[in-house]
Amino acid sequence: DPSSEGSPLSLYTLICGAKDSVVMDLGHPDAVAVLLAGVERADILLLDEAAWRTLRQVLGDPATLKQSFPRLTVCVCSHFGASSPRAGWTGSEEIVQALSGVMSTTGHSGSGPVRIPGALLTLSAAMFAVTSVLGDVVRKERGGETAFLDCGAMQPAAAFLTAAYPSWFLSDAPPAGIGNRHGMSAPWNTFPCADGWVVICAGNEPSWRRLCAVIGRPDLLADDRFLTAETRVANVVALEVEISAWTRLYSISEVERMLDENGIPAGLIAPLRDVLDHPQFIARELLRQGPQGAIAGPAFRHNGEAVTPLGGRSTLGAATETVLGVWGLDAPAFKRAARLGVFGKQIAKVA
């Protein structure tokens, strides 16, 4: 909601904190020509579902777009896909989690479905879109034709069910909520320590053998209930009783240290207040202070250095004149168009 910009809790501020933005009244008869001038100069046109519905009336369908702008890479990122039976549905992250089957595999037994917090599928679809766009740009540079790219959040949802599908195919029974366990590996769960909880993921054979040695229970290797991966999954409750008896004797840090020293994946369940002050979090600069509050840090490091985002003017429409200048609209032409209301009432007042 752009009306809440400036607030440190504004989603608009968090998303647009380093971006330039342009405003335009597409209902104005002169706005279409300005928009087309920008599209003509663009290499990539990235749209969400709402923008595609609006601009399709101006730019035409995918075939028309390709004919009019043969060098333009166009990508539409939506919940269900621009060309699908549910293309016109009003969706959200939680609706996609529900319809894709993801929520049917979450939660604990008897608790009912639980959504995955955040926007995991939406952000994954955005990453799919970025890689698709980059692939299309490379193809264009090699002399190939550009494409209309259609990315929906339902696609990564299918990828996130790779542990659930085998259970369904092999047993013909839908996977139920199993909490923090793994459907095909054990031990793999959260375990109580003397001062909190720790995750242990020792699902493969080498990790399982090392775990038995660390907890001083080599006898478990000969226990018929735990001889194979299949029997350990089948007897997971009894297995977790044995491991919990050991973890309860030690603090989280002691369990982490002993397991890490022996190459066994383990980690504490850190409350958010501790995450923000954790040396790992700070060293990787996962959160930065921007001019309008906290913003996400770089997703990767370049040659060992944190990537500094390009500075943008996040206030809605603040870069309209600058960007349109790049599109070929000089200052006098911009002021005339602004006074006519091409860019909305706010910019018309300034002009």
Side-chain angles (χ1 to χ4, degrees):
D1 177 10
S3 65
S4 63
E5 62 179 288
S7 164
L9 298 179
S10 164
L11 184 59
Y12 177 85
T13 300
L14 292 173
I15 294 174
C16 303
K19 298 180 177 70
D20 286 334
S21 67
V22 172
V23 293
M24 194 177 302
D25 180 6
L26 292 179
H28 195 285
D30 295 331
V32 173
V34 177
L35 174 65
L36 292 177
V39 173
E40 182 67 41
R41 288 167 171 78
D43 296 308
I44 300 165
L45 181 62
L46 182 61
L47 306 167
D48 66 9
E49 194 166 7
W52 170 239
R53 282 198 299 265
T54 300
L55 293 184
R56 184 170 182 165
Q57 303 173 29
V58 177
L59 302 175
D61 59 22
T64 304
L65 258 174
K66 188 170 184 178
Q67 184 177 8
S68 303
F69 308 100
R71 296 290 297 164
L72 181 67
T73 294
V74 181
C75 179
V76 176
C77 198
S78 62
H79 289 108
F80 304 109
S83 56
S84 73
R86 286 181 166 150
W89 277 42
T90 301
S92 67
E93 168 74 20
E94 192 157 352
I95 299 301
V96 176
Q97 288 190 26
L99 291 174
S100 65
V102 167
M103 282 178 63
S104 72
T105 67
T106 60
H108 292 267
S109 178
S111 70
V114 178
R115 74 175 180 89
I116 302 172
L120 183 66
L121 301 182
T122 303
L123 294 175
S124 298
M127 293 179 66
F128 279 30
V130 169
T131 53
S132 299
V133 165
L134 293 177
D136 198 61
V137 169
V138 170
R139 180 169 58 180
K140 179 168 55 178
E141 291 177 346
R142 294 178 178 177
E145 293 186 354
T146 59
F148 179 84
L149 306 174
D150 181 3
C151 296
M154 290 284 279
Q155 274 70 31
F160 282 117
L161 289 170
T162 51
Y165 283 132
S167 299
W168 165 255
F169 294 144
L170 294 173
S171 67
D172 200 31
I178 54 174
N180 299 314
R181 290 173 179 157
H182 194 294
M184 298 186 293
S185 298
W188 191 298
N189 204 349
T190 50
F191 295 88
C193 297
D195 57 350
W197 292 83
V198 68
V199 174
I200 299 176
C201 303
N204 61 46
E205 196 65 29
S207 295
W208 162 241
R209 291 183 172 277
R210 290 195 297 270
L211 179 64
C212 289
V214 171
I215 69 175
R217 294 294 306 277
D219 57 295
L220 296 179
L221 296 173
D223 192 314
D224 289 342
R225 298 171 298 171
F226 313 135
L227 285 178
T228 67
E230 290 78 10
T231 58
R232 288 194 289 275
V233 171
N235 296 285
V236 66
V237 174
L239 176 62
E240 290 173 354
V241 168
E242 303 289 356
I243 297 171
S244 296
W246 176 77
T247 58
R248 290 180 191 277
L249 301 175
Y250 301 96
S251 67
I252 295 171
S253 60
E254 290 173 319
V255 171
E256 272 193 309
R257 177 184 56 78
M258 287 186 280
L259 296 184
D260 182 62
E261 288 175 351
N262 288 274
I264 301 167
L268 79 162
I269 310 296
L272 192 57
R273 63 179 181 277
D274 294 340
V275 171
L276 298 177
D277 295 327
H278 196 282
Q280 174 74 18
F281 194 94
I282 295 171
R284 299 294 291 187
E285 298 183 62
L286 299 182
L287 196 67
R288 287 179 170 178
Q289 287 299 319
Q292 295 175 308
I295 59 173
F300 63 93
R301 300 178 80 84
H302 183 262
N303 291 330
E305 299 292 332
V307 178
T308 301
L310 297 175
R313 286 160 286 185
S314 62
T315 302
L316 186 64
T320 301
E321 184 172 4
T322 301
V323 172
L324 267 58
V326 175
W327 291 2
L329 198 68
D330 60 27
F334 174 82
K335 289 186 180 299
R336 285 195 299 271
R339 284 194 292 267
L340 292 173
V342 172
F343 312 119
K345 295 180 180 179
Q346 190 62 35
I347 293 182
K349 291 178 182 178
V350 175

